[in-house]
Amino acid sequence: MAQTPAQAGYTALARGPDDCLWAKLTWQTNSASVATATTNSFTEVQNGLNYWQNGQYNEAQDLIEITANGAAAVHGQCQAYFNGNLNTPGAVTLVDSNIVLKAEPIGLFYFDPASGKTVPLAGLRDCSAVLLPPNQVLWQSVLDSISADYRITYTKGAIEADLILLQRPKPPEYYGLNSATTRLEFWTEWHG
């Protein structure tokens, strides 16, 4: 694994939300024993690199920590809070400087845009979360009639949610739908 700038001896001189100016002073002595200082610097650029706290930018972390109500990722530009049970109102809450969004997963559906038909396959059920350090939360057995887990990964620049199907649903034809035009969808309701 590559070294971080700090591990390579660089010092952060200035931070912004998506950038950091790093510098390192090195000394070289020539054959006449004359020492010369050289400053090497570069600007690191990455979405979500730093977050504002206590009047300054701090380095963001791909980190989720256990809390009294579940888990939280609070060391980034967007904070995320996760309930221990996915089947609760506002199970996942995202907070940034301008908005609060609450997510409530609903279930698994077949949708055929050609016919306009929607078929519910499985709804959410009570389930428990497990922290997968350093930056993932996994709820196991989240659906009531199909075996599936739900995982959220938190990084400095993104939040990703994955439904992990552990069982194959019945084909669309079983419900009178066409496989060629039917999509499998996991629905989540968002509240502002």
Side-chain angles (χ1 to χ4, degrees), residues 3-121:
Q3 288 184 323
T4 66
Q7 290 169 334
Y10 284 85
T11 301
L13 298 181
R15 292 182 183 276
D18 300 312
D19 63 284
C20 183
L21 174 61
W22 294 95
K24 177 168 74 169
L25 184 65
T26 57
W27 290 91
Q28 294 182 347
T29 305
N30 65 15
S31 60
S33 297
V34 175
T36 305
T38 304
T39 301
N40 297 308
S41 64
F42 66 94
T43 300
E44 179 182 16
V45 179
Q46 178 184 351
N47 285 342
L49 187 62
N50 302 298
Y51 69 105
W52 189 257
Q53 183 183 39
N54 300 325
Q56 67 181 15
Y57 280 105
N58 298 283
E59 184 177 1
Q61 299 176 42
D62 298 341
L63 179 65
I64 298 174
E65 301 166 304
I66 297 289
T67 66
N69 298 325
V74 296
H75 303 288
Q77 290 180 18
C78 179
Q79 288 81 50
Y81 301 90
F82 312 101
N83 288 348
N85 181 358
L86 191 63
N87 191 23
T88 56
V92 177
T93 301
L94 305 178
V95 179
D96 78 6
S97 60
N98 301 323
I99 193 166
V100 174
L101 291 174
K102 294 182 181 259
E104 296 175 20
I106 297 170
L108 190 64
F109 296 82
Y110 273 138
F111 172 63
D112 182 359
S115 68
K117 292 182 182 177
T118 300
V119 175
L121 300 177

